[in-house]
């Protein structure tokens, strides 16, 4: 019934298995990928024909984690998986980036890759397994995919590279790097690093690229017995249209790309486009030789040739810069005085307006992952409104792009944040991109660093980011620092590097061609280091280190520790006591399981009042000390006084006053404030208090008062 095929290999100390022919047989390609005991089903379906009038490649990658994979039931009212989590969105992008450049040029048939996590062993992250599964399924599907690719995660522990570290080893590593590529080139890199130098980062990329070669060989071995017949696809021949169009507008395009101002340049390019349509697709034409999609595709190709040719020939860029010059930078901090920290970072025509907000433990984000629920105290949200590129567009919830760019900036800044024990705040940073022509994610990195320093967050060092580009024609190449939007769209690489003066904190690379070599990456990393250093210098003109004090409107947090067995006493039945403390002092209080108590308020008096209240609850009264208390009950034999937090004690009628007392209520009534001395505890542990040895006006002990008077 099943035409089942399977390959296995030992990889990184665990068994990797790829099998096909048993599950999802109606898909064009389906592979069950198992690594350790983590299992991912990868499927590929591609339409037989492209939709008429479609001028782009509609590739969709959907990575989805089923909670049953970890033996869990989803939370929420509906008890089923809902919208994609941040992890699912980021992993979908991670898989999309290396496979997209490997589809045949001009292929526009709708294609969907679905990766479903069926089992998670809580040791091996499913993202690498899913990427390998996607590569295998595409290779078997018969679609024009010039793969396969391999992928690997690289850690750096005790000065050694580690292939596919276990999840629990990630707390020890100074690097989390994912690399994907073919047998001879790298296509994609995504990483977070602890200020590592360029040689170490490049070594990690090449280590990973070498390590996944056995995986590529295994996919090829599986394809030899299980791949479907390749589809009969031939790219459209548009050489005649290209020749005609080149003769028509090549001079106009060349002149347009000599204009350094973005707006004026776009007007000139649009004028060339209108000329093409007026000539080759005139209004009212009955049977034009070319359709609009073909014309637009060739027009973009001509744009690329003009821009790329000029750069390789003259070493000059669209805006007149040389290959290494960074656009003018203006850094500003404290732009919104009532926020906790704010900055505006402007680089050329790219601008990020960034605001940092300090919160308490109550503001931490709970993340429900397959590996378990955890709390995140650093949030970075990136927004890209349409006005930032001079367009009117739909505003909605964050898309994949916003989530991906925000996470890239998060990875860049996260390694320099203070430990929670040192700075017990929840941090939220929001980056609003107000102008864009070039890497807004790297502008977000710079703006985030400045906003956090403006807020008084003691980061280890400022972080800057720069986006590098590549023009590659044969053996001739040019690496571009601080690329423009056009250079990104028409170039071959988007290579983003962020870090401090000491080293790299994040590296992301996307390639639009079949891959790049170690030599090109080395040049790009070296050039990026110089650009990063320049940007850090420009940022320092606004602020070079964190402010010594928090802003006026930021909450203050003080930490105290209480015995674990006293936590229940502070919280009270149903939270009654802690609610009362919060209501009456105005401070926010967060108590952790280890007895750590964080007290937050913008007022020092409120914090001190809450601390004292908690102290009276958890501390033990000392014999011989005098306390002020409140009479809570009277009886024939004496009065009960609440004198130390929730603690009450008896003042026997004989201890109420110096003279003999016939009736308790002759001396005190319920609600009276009195001074008492803790005399000790009886044989049953009950508290014994005395009022008669304390001066009720001054709160001083009477014997001591007489002695002090005699000495005077």
């Amino acid at each position: 019934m099943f035409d089942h095929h399977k390959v296995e290999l030992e990889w990184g100390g665990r068994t990797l298995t790829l099998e096909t022919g048993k599950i999802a047989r109606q898909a064009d390609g389906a592979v069950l990928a198992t690594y350790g005991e983590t299992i991912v089903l990868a499927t590929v379906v591609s339409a037989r024909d492209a939709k008429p009038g479609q001028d782009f490649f509609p590739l969709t990658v959907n990575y989805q984690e089923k909670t049953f994979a970890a033996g869990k039931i989803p939370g929420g009212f509906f008890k089923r998986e809902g919208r994609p989590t941040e992890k699912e969105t980021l992993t979908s992008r991670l898989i999309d980036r290396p496979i997209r450049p490997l589809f045949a040029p001009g292929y526009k048939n709708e294609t969907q890759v679905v990766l479903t996590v069926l089992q998670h062993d809580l040791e091996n992250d499913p993202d690498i397994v899913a990427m390998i599964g996607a590569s295998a399924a595409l290779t078997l599907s018969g679609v024009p995919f010039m793969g396969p690719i391999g992928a690997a995660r690289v850690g750096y522990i005790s000065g050694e590279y580690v292939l596919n570290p276990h999840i629990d080893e990630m707390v020890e590593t100074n690097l989390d790097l994912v690399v994907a590529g073919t047998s001879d080139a790298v296509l994609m890199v995504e990483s977070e690093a602890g200020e590592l130098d360029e040689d170490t980062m490049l070594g990690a990329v090449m280590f990973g690229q070498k390590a996944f070669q056995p995986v590529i060989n295994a996919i090829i071995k599986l394809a030899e017995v299980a791949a479907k017949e390749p589809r009969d696809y031939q790219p459209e021949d548009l050489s005649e249209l290209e020749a005609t169009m080149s003769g028509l507008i090549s001079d106009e395009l060349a002149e347009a790309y000599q204009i350094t101002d973005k707006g004026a340049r776009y007007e000139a390019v649009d004028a060339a486009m209108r000329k093409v349509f007026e000539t080759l697709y005139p209004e009212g034409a009955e049977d034009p030789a070319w359709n609009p999609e073909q014309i637009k595709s060739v027009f973009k190709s001509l744009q690329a040739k003009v821009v790329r040719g000029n750069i390789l020939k003259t070493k000059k860029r669209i805006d007149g810069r040389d290959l290494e010059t960074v656009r003018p930078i203006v850094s500003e901090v404290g732009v919104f005085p009532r926020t906790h920290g704010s900055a505006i970072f402007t680089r050329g025509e790219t601008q990020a307006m960034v605001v940092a907000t300090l919160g308490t433990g109550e503001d931490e984000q709970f993340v429900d992952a397959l590996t378990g629920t955890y709390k995140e105290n650093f949030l970075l949200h990136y927004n890209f409104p349409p006005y930032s590129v001079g367009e009117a567009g739909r505003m909605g919830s964050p898309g994949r792009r916003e989530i991906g760019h925000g996470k890239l900036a998060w990875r860049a800044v996260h390694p320099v944040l203070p430990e929670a024990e040192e700075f017990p705040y929840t941090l939220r940073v929001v980056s609003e991109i107000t102008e864009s022509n070039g890497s807004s994610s790297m502008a977000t990195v710079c703006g985030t660093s400045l906003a956090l320093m403006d807020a008084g967050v003691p980061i280890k060092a400022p972080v800057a980011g720069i986006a590098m580009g590549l023009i590659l024609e044969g053996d001739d190449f040019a690496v571009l620092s601080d690329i423009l939007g056009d250079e990104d769209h028409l170039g071959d690489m988007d290579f983003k590097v962020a870090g401090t003066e000491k080293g790299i904190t994040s590296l992301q690379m996307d390639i639009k061609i079949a891959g790049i070599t170690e030599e090109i990456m080395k040049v790009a990393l070296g050039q990026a280091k110089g650009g990063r250093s320049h940007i850090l210098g420009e940022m320092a003109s606004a602020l070079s280190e964190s402010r010594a004090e928090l802003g006026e409107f930021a909450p203050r947090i003080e930490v105290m520790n209480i015995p674990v067995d006293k936590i229940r006493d502070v919280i009270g039945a149903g939270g009654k006591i802690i609610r009362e403390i919060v209501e009456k002092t105005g401070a926010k209080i967060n108590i952790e399981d280890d007895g750590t108590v964080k007290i937050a308020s913008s007022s020092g008096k409120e914090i001190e009042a809450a601390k004292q209240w908690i102290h009276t609850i958890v501390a033990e009264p000392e014999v011989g000390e005098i306390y002020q208390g409140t009479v809570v009950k009277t009886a024939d034999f004496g009065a009960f006084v609440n004198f130390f937090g929730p603690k009450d004690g008896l003042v026997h009628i004989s201890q109420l006053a110096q003279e003999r007392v016939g009736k308790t209520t002759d001396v005190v009534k319920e609600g009276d404030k009195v001074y008492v001395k803790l005399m000790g505890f009886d044989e049953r542990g009950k508290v014994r208090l005395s009022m008669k040895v304390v001066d009720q006006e001054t709160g001083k002990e009477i014997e001591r008062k007489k002695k002090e008077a005699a000495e005077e």
Side-chain angles (χ1 to χ4, degrees), residues 27-43:
D28 292 326
V31 170
L32 197 67
T34 304
Y35 191 48
E37 294 185 351
T38 293
I39 303 174
V40 178
L41 174 64
T43 63

Side-chain angles (χ1 to χ4, degrees), residues 55 92 228 383 585 608:
D55 62 350
S92 296
K228 295 182 178 179
N383 298 310
T585 66
E608 191 59 33

Side-chain angles (χ1 to χ4, degrees), residues 502-513:
K502 181 180 176 182
I504 294 171
T505 57
S506 181
L507 171 65
Q508 184 189 80
M509 181 180 73
D510 292 319
I511 303 299
K512 301 172 187 176
I513 52 178

